[in-house]
Amino acid sequence: MAATDETGPAGRNTTVPGTPPPAGPPTDPAPRTGARMPRWLPRAMVLALALIAVFQFGSWAFHQLTGLLINVLIAFFLALAVEPAVSWMAARGVRRGFGTFLVFVGVLVVGAGFVTLLGSMLAEQIIKIVEDFPQYLDSVINWINTHFHTELRRVDIQENLLRSDWLRNYVQNSATGVLDVSAQVLGGLFRLLTIALFSFYFAADGPRLRRTICSVLPPARQAEVLRAWEIAVNKTGGYLYSRGLMALISGLAHYVLLEFLDVPYAPVLAVWVGVVSQFIPTIGTYLAGALPMLIAFTVAPWYAVWVLVFVVVYQQFENYVLQPKLTARTVDIHPAVAFGSVVAGTALLGAVGALIAIPAVATLQAFLGAYVKRYDVTDDPRVLGHRGSGGKSAFGRRVRGLWAQRRPEDDGAGPAAGAGAAGAGAAGSGAAGAAGPGEGGTAGAS
């Protein structure tokens, strides 16, 4: 039995001396230090590098084409401005291309006439300023000699000016900058030609362009695009036409004033006021009126005051009488919104943004107006901007009570009258009202 007990599990696990131990259970091999790269990592790296390269190329191309994109944007808004005239001619049997050509020729003739007239007036005024410059200089020299007891002479000032190094350097720099000015003029002419060409194609092929855009959209989106296009045409054309008419009226009104005051350069100043006051909203009239005020001040200080008064009065007339009638159906937006849009447009696109900001905002406002649900506003006094009748009556009662208390003393009545008034005031107060009639009489006697 003892031998049998020794042959149990403990006995079976014993090894004979001199023999190798039995192999134990298999163990996990050591982890590899050089694991393989995931298959998705190279593709992800290549995709990231490709996206960075595309972004860099797109940014470079956008900066290179910024001038062209701005020209296309200007051309598009000009095409929207002439679209009503072209459509009116096309509806009467005129071919759209020929009608667009006639409209552009008319605009070119008017613009050339305006520039020629303005240039001739400016040339005449410049010649007059140059001819009268010695007289102006003599008057300034006499004023300086009188007030500061100096002995300046115009001949000495002219000789010193002609022999100065500043004038010599200025002439040299101007001579070297002639090529730069010529390049800028040629670049401006090329830009005007580019804008005119794109505007012509946008206006002449307007239906085809709309058809091409709508062909890649579902029917519901097509209706929205066509409605937005129609709103943009109405707002842009109406804005330019109404502003042009108001510029004409403003220029004529200021021309009459300047001629009446015998202010020099009246035609040029009137054109300046008409253009600047209308295409810079809200503060354009005041900016435009600064130059006529300065010129009028050189004639007589009171003339500058009259010009300022006229500018302020005309601004109110334009804001409350003229502008609502001319722009009620075109660009009916709040003046603060118009000013903010001009500031934002100037920050984004400069002078171009200032010109197209108002029609763009008016178009966006009119387009989004169809998707905004509006409700009737209750006739609450807080909505109307004043307090209710209850507040007014309470305030009135309070004032009348104070006046009733002070009136006998102010009239110089005797002590008895003052005591009676005090008793009446005590009887009318809340404490006397709570007490009985006898107590009120006692208070009055005291």
Side-chain angles (χ1 to χ4, degrees):
M1 294 296 295
T4 304
D5 293 336
E6 292 177 357
T7 59
R12 289 196 299 265
N13 289 335
T14 58
T15 57
V16 180
T19 60
T27 59
D28 295 334
R32 299 180 181 179
T33 58
R36 293 184 57 185
M37 182 184 300
R39 296 181 178 180
W40 56 267
L41 186 58
R43 298 180 181 179
M45 295 176 62
V46 172
L47 180 60
L49 293 177
L51 291 177
I52 294 174
V54 170
F55 176 77
Q56 294 293 335
F57 177 77
S59 177
W60 173 81
F62 178 78
H63 286 293
Q64 296 296 324
L65 299 176
T66 300
L68 178 61
L69 295 177
I70 293 177
N71 293 339
V72 172
L73 183 62
I74 298 173
F76 179 72
F77 273 91
L78 289 179
L80 293 179
V82 302
E83 178 73 19
V86 175
S87 299
W88 181 83
M89 298 178 67
R92 283 154 180 79
V94 182
R95 294 184 57 185
R96 193 172 183 87
F98 184 68
T100 305
F101 175 76
L102 293 179
V103 172
F104 271 75
V105 169
V107 172
L108 180 62
V109 170
V110 173
F114 173 77
V115 172
T116 303
L117 179 62
L118 183 62
S120 63
M121 289 190 298
L122 286 176
E124 293 177 359
Q125 302 299 341
I126 290 173
I127 292 174
K128 185 177 180 180
I129 291 175
V130 173
E131 292 177 352
D132 297 340
F133 182 76
Q135 299 179 2
Y136 296 150
L137 186 60
D138 288 337
S139 62
V140 173
I141 291 174
N142 293 332
W143 184 84
I144 293 175
N145 291 334
T146 302
H147 289 79
F148 297 97
H149 305 288
T150 58
E151 297 180 356
L152 298 177
R153 294 188 306 171
R154 177 165 57 88
V155 178
D156 297 337
I157 295 176
Q158 290 178 351
E159 291 180 357
N160 293 330
L161 181 62
L162 293 176
R163 295 176 181 177
S164 62
D165 295 336
W166 172 83
L167 182 62
R168 188 181 301 106
N169 295 331
Y170 178 78
V171 172
Q172 293 177 356
N173 295 331
S174 301
T176 55
V178 171
L179 295 178
D180 297 335
V181 173
S182 301
Q184 292 179 0
V185 170
L186 293 177
L189 293 176
F190 179 76
R191 184 176 183 181
L192 290 177
L193 181 61
T194 303
I195 294 173
L197 186 62
F198 275 108
S199 300
F200 181 83
Y201 282 127
F202 285 153
D205 292 340
R208 185 183 304 175
L209 179 61
R210 289 190 289 269
R211 189 180 300 110
T212 302
I213 295 176
C214 292
S215 63
V216 297
L217 298 174
R221 300 302 182 193
Q222 292 179 13
E224 293 181 358
V225 169
L226 294 177
R227 188 172 68 87
W229 195 294
E230 182 180 2
I231 292 174
V233 169
N234 295 333
K235 296 297 181 180
T236 306
Y239 171 74
L240 292 181
Y241 298 151
S242 60
R243 287 293 170 178
L245 183 58
M246 286 192 296
L248 178 61
I249 297 174
S250 177
L252 290 176
H254 287 82
Y255 174 75
V256 171
L257 172 70
L258 297 175
E259 282 291 337
F260 177 77
L261 296 177
D262 198 15
V263 177
Y265 324 127
V268 178
L269 294 176
V271 173
W272 163 265
V273 171
V275 173
V276 175
S277 63
Q278 299 307 318
F279 291 97
I280 300 180
T282 307
I283 62 173
T285 301
Y286 303 104
L287 292 178
L291 183 59
M293 286 177 55
L294 181 61
I295 302 299
F297 184 82
T298 60
V299 179
W302 284 106
Y303 285 1
V305 177
W306 284 112
V307 172
L308 176 61
V309 172
F310 182 82
V311 167
V312 174
V313 172
Y314 183 82
Q315 175 71 12
Q316 305 307 316
F317 168 76
E318 181 181 285
N319 289 340
Y320 296 102
V321 178
L322 186 62
Q323 184 174 354
K325 293 182 178 180
L326 295 179
T327 61
R329 298 182 179 180
T330 54
V331 283
D332 189 13
I333 59 178
H334 195 273
V337 178
F339 179 71
S341 63
V342 170
V343 172
T346 305
L348 292 176
L349 298 177
V352 177
L355 291 177
I356 67 176
I358 292 181
V361 172
T363 301
L364 183 62
Q365 176 180 344
F367 179 75
L368 296 179
Y371 301 97
V372 177
K373 187 176 181 180
R374 299 183 181 274
Y375 302 92
D376 295 334
V377 181
T378 58
D379 295 334
D380 193 289
R382 292 169 294 182
V383 177
L384 300 177
H386 57 75
R387 298 180 63 183
S389 59
K392 290 183 178 179
S393 61
F395 179 76
R397 288 196 302 269
R398 206 173 292 119
V399 171
R400 285 195 298 269
L402 294 175
W403 175 255
Q405 292 180 7
R406 294 187 176 185
R407 184 175 179 180
E409 297 178 0
D410 295 339
D411 291 343
S429 62
E439 295 178 0
T442 304
S446 62

